[in-house]
Amino acid sequence: MRRAVGPVGLVVVWQVLSGSGVLAADLLASPVDIARAAGGMVADGTLPSAMGVSLQRVVVGLVLGGVAGIGLALVAGLSRLGEDLVDATVQMLRSIPWVGVIPLFIIWLGIGEAPKIALIAVGVAFHLYLNVYAGIRGVDAQLMEAGTSLGLGRWGLIRHVVLPGALPGAMTGLRYALATAWLALVFGEQVNADDGLGFLMNQAREFFRTDVIVVCLVVYAVLGLLADFLVRTLERLLLQWRPTFTGR
């Protein structure tokens, strides 16, 4: 209930300003008009269809980027040779703004689905790589010594000590990756999209439909919050062994 006070209060103030004429309708539609537009888009199937397309792009990009990022992090984190071969290159590429590669993706992959998914995958891969790599290299050396003294070999140490120790970092990386995936989707769907939430926003911009634009933004936000909630739930299930401070 306390968490809901801020958002509800903001919407109330917004509606009052719109109803009193302080906030012009051509600049930003009122919450009532936005809710009415959302209802119409749900009723005619426009919004569910666009959500389905955008979700598919995010899922495919997340899987591809996750496989690449985690795979490279394992190679670099578990082996000094792998670190020498991989880490410097990844760190160099990470310094390039991933949004800036959109023109190259269009040249290489065309203007279909491929550049949109590739943009999401690139943004996701770097976050997962950095956090998984840091998690692996942040495992306590004393735990490694304890595992060795208990008779664990190299693969036993990796399975029972290194990977569980890196799991908190991986969960943090997944949360950042999901946030980046939605951000990359917004950019990607500006590239000749013929369906999806970005396509609806482009159409609404041409007709100055601020109500439709806000509806799409709210859907982006809700989907992002749901994804973050799923990751938090996964963290609670997988990291029950790690006590953490939850506030007073």
Side-chain angles (χ1 to χ4, degrees):
M1 293 294 292
R2 291 199 303 267
R3 285 177 176 270
V5 171
V8 171
L10 178 62
V11 172
V12 170
V13 172
W14 180 2
Q15 180 61 45
V16 170
L17 292 176
S18 297
S20 62
V22 176
L23 185 60
D26 57 347
L27 293 179
L28 185 62
S30 69
V32 172
D33 292 335
I34 292 170
R36 189 179 297 115
M41 294 167 69
V42 171
D44 63 17
T46 302
L47 190 58
S49 174
M51 288 174 58
V53 172
S54 295
L55 275 173
Q56 183 178 1
R57 289 168 179 158
V58 167
V59 170
V60 175
L62 186 66
V63 170
L64 294 177
V67 170
I70 294 174
L72 290 173
L74 291 174
V75 171
L78 298 176
S79 166
R80 292 181 181 177
L81 176 61
E83 180 183 17
D84 294 337
L85 295 176
V86 171
D87 187 61
T89 302
V90 173
Q91 296 295 346
M92 178 186 68
L93 295 176
R94 183 178 69 86
S95 64
I96 301 173
W98 48 267
V99 178
V101 301
I102 292 178
L104 281 178
F105 283 166
I106 293 176
I107 293 173
W108 294 341
L109 304 173
I111 56 175
E113 289 296 300
K116 303 175 181 61
I117 294 173
L119 186 66
I120 296 170
V122 168
V124 165
F126 287 129
H127 280 301
L128 284 172
Y129 172 84
L130 291 173
N131 284 275
V132 174
Y133 173 74
I136 292 174
R137 290 306 176 93
V139 173
D140 194 338
Q142 293 181 348
L143 292 177
M144 299 292 289
E145 294 175 2
T148 302
S149 65
L150 291 174
L152 292 177
R154 174 177 173 80
W155 293 111
L157 288 172
I158 292 174
R159 177 182 176 185
H160 297 290
V161 180
V162 176
L163 294 183
L167 193 57
M171 291 294 100
T172 301
L174 182 58
R175 292 180 65 184
Y176 280 117
L178 282 169
T180 301
W182 292 112
L183 179 61
L185 178 68
V186 174
F187 285 104
E189 288 188 332
Q190 307 301 314
V191 181
N192 196 44
D194 56 5
D195 203 349
L197 295 173
F199 172 70
L200 293 182
M201 292 180 67
N202 281 334
Q203 277 194 325
R205 180 195 61 198
E206 294 178 0
F207 294 99
F208 299 96
R209 293 289 305 274
T210 59
D211 52 351
V212 175
I213 292 174
V214 174
V215 167
C216 294
L217 292 175
V218 169
V219 171
Y220 277 128
V222 170
L223 291 176
L225 288 174
L226 288 176
D228 187 70
F229 172 76
L230 292 176
V231 176
R232 285 176 177 267
T233 303
L234 191 61
E235 282 182 332
R236 286 195 293 268
L237 293 175
L238 297 178
L239 303 179
Q240 295 180 4
W241 52 270
R242 189 186 67 159
T244 56
F245 177 68
T246 56
R248 292 182 181 272

